[in-house]
Amino acid sequence: MRISTDPGELDIALIHGFLSRETYWARSIPRDTLERALAHSICVGGYVDGAQVAFARAVTDQATFAYLADVFVLPADRGHGHGRAIVQALMDDPRLQGLRRWHLVTRDMQALYASLGWSALVEPALHMQRHDPDVYARPMHA
């Protein structure tokens, strides 16, 4: 798999289609919302034979913190280490070195992230969130 951080190579239709239809975390995300998110993130695409098969992004200030988001590998391309490779490539990006904290939320991929040095929150009671799971269902989400 070839990995690229060039935003011009990203297949936005593929990314939007997968995230909006196949994931529990971004189901029904409007395309314009996704495009804004990608524009304000460091994105990594994974390509096999010229076609995008994997994606990950970091929401970050590029100095102290990064949030790992929207990691996926297309079902037909799973089982080849592409998920691990794309996350590692993002973590190795020169713009993301020296960060004090990385964060992510996952329902089912703890083993993958643990193999890359991630761990459960040491003090989960210190972390809070403001979560609006139905935001994409409302007419005005801008």
Side-chain angles (χ1 to χ4, degrees):
M1 179 175 69
R2 182 179 65 81
I3 295 174
S4 173
T5 58
D6 180 353
E9 288 190 65
L10 295 173
D11 183 338
I12 305 301
L14 174 100
I15 296 166
H16 177 255
F18 188 85
L19 291 175
S20 67
R21 291 189 298 267
E22 305 296 327
T23 67
Y24 63 85
W25 66 87
R27 185 164 312 279
S28 301
I29 188 170
R31 183 168 170 146
D32 64 318
T33 300
L34 176 66
E35 288 177 358
R36 282 197 327 271
L38 300 181
H40 296 284
S41 301
I42 294 175
C43 300
V44 178
Y47 305 87
V48 173
D49 298 327
Q52 186 167 355
V53 301
F55 177 77
R57 71 184 178 101
V59 181
T60 180
D61 62 9
Q62 299 185 38
T64 64
F65 177 84
Y67 178 81
L68 179 62
D70 296 336
V71 178
F72 72 84
V73 176
L74 295 178
D77 294 282
R78 293 179 184 162
H80 303 289
H82 298 329
R84 180 181 176 79
I86 199 133
V87 172
Q88 187 68 61
L90 193 54
M91 291 170 38
D92 290 343
D93 188 289
R95 297 168 288 182
L96 300 174
Q97 300 311 297
L99 302 181
R100 182 171 184 168
R101 184 180 312 270
W102 282 80
H103 188 76
L104 68 85
V105 176
T106 184
R107 185 183 288 174
D108 54 3
M109 296 303 293
Q110 287 81 359
L112 169 71
Y113 296 112
S115 74
L116 292 165
W118 294 70
S119 61
L121 294 173
V122 175
E123 297 180 274
L126 299 181
H127 295 257
M128 296 180 72
Q129 69 176 358
R130 189 169 165 210
H131 185 222
D132 186 353
D134 299 321
V135 69
Y136 304 142
R138 289 193 292 277
M140 184 55 85
H141 57 270

